[in-house]
Amino acid sequence: MAATAGQSQADEGRPQPLDRWLTELFEEWRGLRPTINLKLDLNGQLPSPAVITDRTISQSIINVLNNAAEAANDPLAEVDVSAHWDDQQLDIIIADYGPGLSDALLSRLGEEPFLTAKAAQSGLGLGVYLARSTLARLGGDLTLINRSEQPGVI
């Protein structure tokens, strides 16, 4: 498994185990958001497949994590992350405990940058837009849903 479209921009230019890359990525984010309680579940085949990563993939995941952290509007918020993989596919589920998104916002978010209801009306939906564009360029997808039990899930 390799991020083939991003190989020319690969961070390190060498394969590394997927579980190690994910662990390092989530630890990097914990350093950026030390007050957020990140609950992490990494689960997949072992040995983990080797990947060559592109920094834009890492930044896309960090953007989504930041949005999840900000959704609860609580500096001590909780974000749940589950990553499951096999030798062909990686699925990452990021869940927050915010109020969720309106149907109108869900239908538009990630399609184009626009003003959101973030603190001080500063959000442009740019992080989700860039994440969705990056993942699509590399053959992936970003899906936004509201769960019935409240948290937003990406």
Side-chain angles (χ1 to χ4, degrees), residues 56-78:
T56 61
I57 296 171
S58 300
Q59 189 59 53
S60 295
I61 295 169
I62 287 171
N63 285 342
V64 174
L65 287 165
N66 285 337
N67 282 349
E70 293 164 5
N73 199 23
D74 177 354
L76 303 175
E78 182 174 298

Side-chain angles (χ1 to χ4, degrees), residues 17-55:
L18 176 61
D19 57 344
R20 180 178 353 137
W21 174 71
L22 289 170
T23 299
E24 290 173 1
L25 175 63
F26 294 123
E27 287 304 316
E28 175 187 345
W29 187 76
R30 278 185 170 131
L32 298 171
R33 298 287 187 126
T35 64
I36 302 297
N37 181 18
L38 178 64
K39 293 172 79 176
L40 191 56
D41 174 30
L42 302 179
N43 189 348
Q45 74 178 45
L46 294 175
S48 178
V51 295
I52 298 174
T53 60
D54 178 317
R55 183 64 190 164

